[in-house]
Amino acid sequence: MSALTALVRRHSLIFFKDKGMFFTSLMTPAILLVLYIFFLRSAYEDSLLLALPAGLPLSDSLVNAVVGGQLFSSLLAVCCVTVAFCSNLVMVQDKVTGVRRDLTLTPVKKSTLALSYYLATVLSTLLVCLVAAGLCFLYLAYVGWYLSFTDILLIFGDVVLLVLFGTALSAVINFFLSTQGQISAVGAIVSAGYGFVCGAYIPISQFSPGLQTVVSFLPGTYGTSLLRNHTLQGAYEEMAAQGFPAEAITSVKDAIDCNLYFAGEPVALSTMYLIVGGAAVVLLVIYLLLSFCRQGRQ
């Protein structure tokens, strides 16, 4: 256990001390904020107003709360995965520089080494994402706060779950990387593409039917929806308290992916948790099996 703790501490310190990796991990939230300022805010607001029946007034505070909740959920849904890929690059760089080979010559078990990379990535990613979540809470408090204490706890739970999923996904993919060029290519692809396929940038409801079917098989889609539901639950309750028809609220939920459908059937929140959590467990098992198989060949 002491060896595992020491390795986790070593990997985490390397990530935060390496300015290149650390600032790269912050690029995704920075890019998303820029997109929000120049494009996403107006797009989110237009989607909200179009989903509401004509003649239903919506206060500026509620509009800002719904639009801000979408930004909040989008930013965290993307960060929990992309930051995991960045912080998990310590594992790849150790292979590139030969440090991993040196570590395998020590009495430390290779399974312990593999697990240490996973746990260090979870801790590093979780710290960055929790800081991002804190900033988002401050933003919502400024533009329109309708969250309950339960909503806040559920949001933090969603972040932890998505970090576990993102770390397991990055561990499996990064396991096969062994050069600096591969690191750069994978990082660029994940940073540019993940936000679109998980519905963070553009609501899935606006995709073509065929693309909606494809993304309905991706766990990240349901992770984004979980965050959407919990960041916007208070705003929906306020709408109901102000006398908004249930049909209107459902229309808004459909438009911004709080309600997801698989084969035409609604997906319950409990099912979303099972999908994301199950994917995290399966990917972690695959990563550990890959590490075990390589150990057997060495």
Side-chain angles (χ1 to χ4, degrees), residues 164-185:
L164 293 174
F165 164 71
T167 302
L169 178 64
S170 68
V172 172
I173 293 178
N174 287 357
F175 180 87
F176 298 98
L177 306 184
S178 57
T179 68
Q180 200 68 43
Q182 292 172 348
I183 294 174
S184 301

Side-chain angles (χ1 to χ4, degrees), residues 128-210:
V128 174
C129 291
L130 289 179
V131 171
L135 295 176
C136 289
F137 281 126
L138 291 176
Y139 174 76
L140 283 184
Y142 175 74
V143 300
W145 181 274
Y146 295 95
L147 297 176
S148 66
F149 181 69
T150 300
D151 294 331
I152 295 172
L153 292 180
L154 289 171
I155 290 169
F156 280 129
D158 295 339
V159 171
V160 173
L161 180 62
L162 276 172
V163 166
L164 293 174
F165 164 71
T167 302
L169 178 64
S170 68
V172 172
I173 293 178
N174 287 357
F175 180 87
F176 298 98
L177 306 184
S178 57
T179 68
Q180 200 68 43
Q182 292 172 348
I183 294 174
S184 301
V186 170
I189 292 172
V190 172
S191 297
Y194 182 78
F196 289 100
V197 298
C198 75
Y201 298 156
I202 302 174
I204 295 169
S205 60
Q206 298 182 15
F207 290 178
S208 66

